[in-house]
Amino acid sequence: MTDDPLHIDPNWKSATVDLDGVKIRYLDNGGTGPVLICLHGTSMTAHAWGHLGSTLKDQFRVIAVDMRGHGASDRPNTTYTIAELAGDIARLAESLDLKGITLMGSSVGNQVAVSFAASNPDRVAGMILSDPSFFVSDAEIVKYLRSHHTRRRNYPTRAEAEAFARALPQRAGLSDQMHGLAMQGDFRQEDDGSWSWAYDLLAITKLFFNLSTDQSGDISAIHVPVLVLNADRSNVLSGNQAEELTRAFSNARLEVVSNSNHTIWGDQPVLLANTARAFLRDLHSA
C-alpha cells in the first residue's frame, strides 16, 4: 500500500457537545465546503479518518465522530443499539445545524449511518458505505468478542500500548503513517499514568450483539445516491452480500476495493480519499 505524506495533517479541531447528558467528541478538519460526517467501526475512534479529513480539507468539511463508548466520548451504561448511536448523530447534526450531509462509515459505522439517513432524510445528500457489517456472521462476532475480551486492557507505558496495537492482525495492511493516525485515538492515560484502550469493553460487547439488527426498513427508506465499497479481502462482507446490499438500495452502485482487508480506511487511504472526492464532486455538481 502507498500513502502520501503531504496529506497527513493531525491538526484536527477537537470539540465536545453535550447531547442530553451524553458528551460526544468530534474532530473537524476546518473545511468550508459540503459536509462529510465519518463514523468509525467498533473499538475505533475518529482519528482513523485523519488522512481523509486532511486530503479533503480544500473542498469539503469533514467531521469525524467518536461514537458513544469510544474515544473521548462518554461511556454511558445504555443499550448501544444502532438506533441509539444514530440518535447521537442526529442531535449532533441539529446542534451544528448541518444539512446536505454525506455520510461515510466503516464497518458498524455504516449501519449507524443508514439508521441516521432513514430517520433524517431532510439532512442527507448521499452515503459512502465502506465494507459494511450488515451481514457479519455470528462466528466473526464471536471471534471479535473473544479478541477484545482476552486483550490486555492496561499498559505501563504508551510505547507498550502502541506496540500491541501495531501488531494486531487486522492492522497488518496499514502503513506507518496510518498506524500513527489510528493510535492518536487508541489509548487514554489513566490517573496512575498507565495507558488503557479508549473504548469501553461493555459498550462494544453490546454493540457487537446489535450488529444483526434488521435494517431492511431503513435501507428501503433511503433514496439518495449510495456508494457501497467492498474490500476484496473482507472477512465481513462477501462479494455476493455486497451485490445484494447494493440492490436493496433504490439508488446505489458497488465498487470493489483491491488489495484491502475490512479496514479500507487504513489499507487504502489514498484510494478512499480519491473515491470520496469524486463522489462528493458528482453529488454536489448535480
Side-chain angles (χ1 to χ4, degrees), residues 20-99:
D20 300 328
V22 177
K23 293 183 177 63
I24 298 294
R25 194 277 291 263
Y26 66 92
L27 302 175
D28 191 329
N29 74 342
T32 58
V35 176
L36 176 67
I37 292 182
C38 296
L39 304 174
H40 59 74
T42 307
S43 82
M44 294 302 301
T45 74
H47 286 281
W49 304 105
H51 178 275
L52 186 74
S54 177
T55 304
L56 299 182
K57 185 175 180 178
D58 61 327
Q59 288 187 304
F60 304 101
R61 182 183 181 187
V62 178
I63 294 174
V65 182
D66 279 348
M67 294 191 287
R68 67 169 61 199
H70 295 78
S73 290
D74 279 352
R75 306 172 169 192
N77 184 18
T78 57
T79 59
Y80 288 86
T81 62
I82 302 299
E84 182 179 56
L85 271 63
D88 290 338
I89 307 306
R91 287 187 289 275
L92 174 67
E94 182 178 3
S95 174
L96 300 180
D97 192 27
L98 303 177
K99 296 179 180 178

Side-chain angles (χ1 to χ4, degrees), residues 3 6 16 65 81 94 107 134 145 157 174 177-178 210 221 246 274 285:
D3 205 348
L6 297 178
T16 301
V65 182
T81 62
E94 182 178 3
S107 196
F134 294 96
L145 283 173
T157 66
L174 274 63
Q177 289 172 313
M178 293 308 295
N210 287 324
T246 304
N274 291 339
S285 64

Side-chain angles (χ1 to χ4, degrees), residues 3 90 158 183 196:
D3 205 348
R158 185 172 183 107
M183 290 189 299
S196 297

Side-chain angles (χ1 to χ4, degrees), residues 35-207:
V35 176
L36 176 67
I37 292 182
C38 296
L39 304 174
H40 59 74
T42 307
S43 82
M44 294 302 301
T45 74
H47 286 281
W49 304 105
H51 178 275
L52 186 74
S54 177
T55 304
L56 299 182
K57 185 175 180 178
D58 61 327
Q59 288 187 304
F60 304 101
R61 182 183 181 187
V62 178
I63 294 174
V65 182
D66 279 348
M67 294 191 287
R68 67 169 61 199
H70 295 78
S73 290
D74 279 352
R75 306 172 169 192
N77 184 18
T78 57
T79 59
Y80 288 86
T81 62
I82 302 299
E84 182 179 56
L85 271 63
D88 290 338
I89 307 306
R91 287 187 289 275
L92 174 67
E94 182 178 3
S95 174
L96 300 180
D97 192 27
L98 303 177
K99 296 179 180 178
I101 299 166
T102 299
L103 297 155
M104 175 180 281
S106 175
S107 196
V108 71
N110 297 294
Q111 294 184 240
V112 176
V114 163
S115 180
F116 170 83
S119 299
N120 300 271
D122 57 322
R123 292 188 183 274
V124 178
M127 305 179 70
I128 303 172
L129 306 182
S130 178
D131 218 52
S133 52
F134 294 96
F135 299 99
V136 64
S137 68
D138 290 343
E140 284 297 324
I141 290 174
V142 170
K143 177 181 174 182
Y144 278 121
L145 283 173
R146 183 180 295 117
S147 170
H148 286 291
H149 280 265
T150 58
R151 175 182 295 181
R152 184 177 176 181
R153 298 289 305 170
N154 185 268
Y155 305 83
T157 66
R158 185 172 183 107
E160 290 177 76
E162 292 188 350
F164 184 91
R166 184 179 289 268
L168 288 170
Q170 59 266 41
R171 299 193 186 184
L174 274 63
S175 67
D176 287 344
Q177 289 172 313
M178 293 308 295
H179 274 296
L181 284 175
M183 290 189 299
Q184 287 178 19
D186 275 338
F187 302 99
R188 68 176 190 175
Q189 191 166 28
E190 305 295 346
D191 292 339
D192 64 0
S194 64
W195 293 85
S196 297
W197 286 98
Y199 65 84
D200 183 73
L201 187 58
L202 178 59
I204 70 155
T205 299
K206 293 178 180 179
L207 187 54

